[in-house]
Amino acid sequence: QKSKYLALRVLVSKVGASKLLAIEPNLLPVTLAAMTQHSISTAASSALSDLSASYLEELKSVDEWRSWWLGSVRTMLLNNNSNDRVAMATYILPTLFKQDGASVIELTKSLVKETNANRGEACASAAVVAVLKVARSLQLVDPERITVLRVAGDRREYEIDQGIIDRAMMSVDRAARLDVLEWLCLEGRKSCALPSEYERTLLKRMISANLKGCAIYFDETRRKLNKAP
């Protein structure tokens, strides 16, 4: 299967993305699903990167390009299987956000709507945090307020509600809690700057919660958050 995606990269350069997608409309969701297989994830992501860049150039419309991938990527991020979310955050989101930084705001808004509509679903909050983690690694957040998405050259900004962070932080899903931790600690990997008061407060709460080592604690906390106005 790896050779299949190597061949796809050649086809994109020779034929173009529009013609390929006209022949195979499901090429995007099929390739996204393949990302969860570690043996071919790198080859598949490289092929999709080429396909996406070519399609964006051919369409000459960022809105049309976003509408092509946003729904499929959102579906993968919202799957209950955390491996799908990890694959998207590792292989796909960095590529898409590098091709168009403002897309991070549009994708996050879409995920937040899903989170608000299904407040009890941990996967929705976890998906938002996964996007935040990628955004921070690409410097697409306000360095002083890491819950605020901000893109260079774009006046818009978008702030994530603290309740979403809390639900991911107290989730029974270990991968979601790890995403919160990595998001909080990303800046420390790149500089000697001390963590902010906000980061320290959240880290203390996370350590306290995880030391209890009891899923009941997370369930009770989640119920309290769901009852909050």
Side-chain angles (χ1 to χ4, degrees):
Q1 280 193 333
K2 191 174 182 179
S3 59
K4 169 184 173 181
Y5 293 104
L6 295 175
L8 178 58
R9 299 188 71 180
V10 176
L11 284 172
V12 170
S13 64
K14 298 293 184 181
V15 179
S18 298
K19 290 182 179 179
L20 282 175
L21 291 170
I23 297 170
E24 183 52 73
N26 292 324
L27 186 57
L28 174 62
V30 168
T31 306
L32 290 177
M35 303 269 174
T36 58
Q37 302 176 44
H38 295 298
S39 60
I40 61 172
S41 55
T42 301
S45 64
S46 296
L48 194 54
S49 176
D50 290 355
L51 181 71
S52 174
S54 177
Y55 200 38
L56 176 59
E57 184 178 355
E58 292 169 31
L59 287 173
K60 301 187 185 306
S61 168
V62 174
D63 290 337
E64 287 184 38
W65 173 75
R66 286 177 188 155
S67 67
W68 164 65
W69 61 260
L70 197 147
S72 296
V73 171
R74 181 182 59 214
T75 297
M76 291 291 288
L77 284 167
L78 292 172
N79 280 349
N80 285 320
N81 186 345
S82 62
N83 290 332
D84 292 348
R85 187 173 67 247
V86 170
M88 294 302 98
T90 303
Y91 298 108
I92 294 303
L93 297 185
T95 293
L96 295 173
F97 296 163
K98 286 176 183 176
Q99 291 173 354
D100 174 58
S103 289
V104 68
I105 294 178
E106 301 306 319
L107 176 59
T108 305
K109 283 182 177 178
S110 177
L111 291 171
V112 167
K113 286 182 181 178
E114 190 70 29
T115 302
N116 292 336
N118 301 282
R119 199 170 182 185
E121 293 292 332
C123 58
S125 297
V128 174
V129 172
V131 173
L132 262 179
K133 183 178 72 171
V134 176
R136 191 176 190 192
S137 72
L138 297 176
Q139 298 183 327
L140 296 174
V141 300
D142 186 321
E144 302 300 323
R145 298 180 297 159
I146 61 173
T147 56
V148 177
L149 296 170
R150 178 178 292 172
V151 182
D154 193 323
R155 293 184 178 181
R156 294 179 303 160
E157 62 177 40
Y158 186 76
E159 184 168 7
I160 311 301
D161 184 80
Q162 184 60 42
I164 294 174
I165 307 298
D166 288 340
R167 286 194 287 276
M169 185 175 69
M170 301 302 178
S171 171
V172 294
D173 182 352
R174 179 174 176 270
R177 301 199 306 274
L178 284 174
D179 276 345
V180 176
L181 185 60
E182 288 184 21
W183 164 65
L184 285 171
C185 297
L186 273 172
E187 194 63 27
R189 297 179 182 178
K190 299 179 181 179
S191 72
C192 297
L194 294 174
S196 66
E197 182 178 351
Y198 171 77
E199 292 168 313
R200 292 196 302 272
T201 299
L202 238 60
L203 282 170
K204 287 177 183 177
R205 289 171 58 191
M206 283 202 72
I207 292 171
S208 174
N210 283 273
L211 282 176
K212 292 179 182 293
C214 182
I216 295 175
Y217 173 83
F218 296 111
D219 287 335
E220 288 178 349
T221 305
R222 186 171 56 187
R223 282 196 293 271
K224 290 178 183 177
L225 289 169
N226 288 338
K227 290 178 182 178

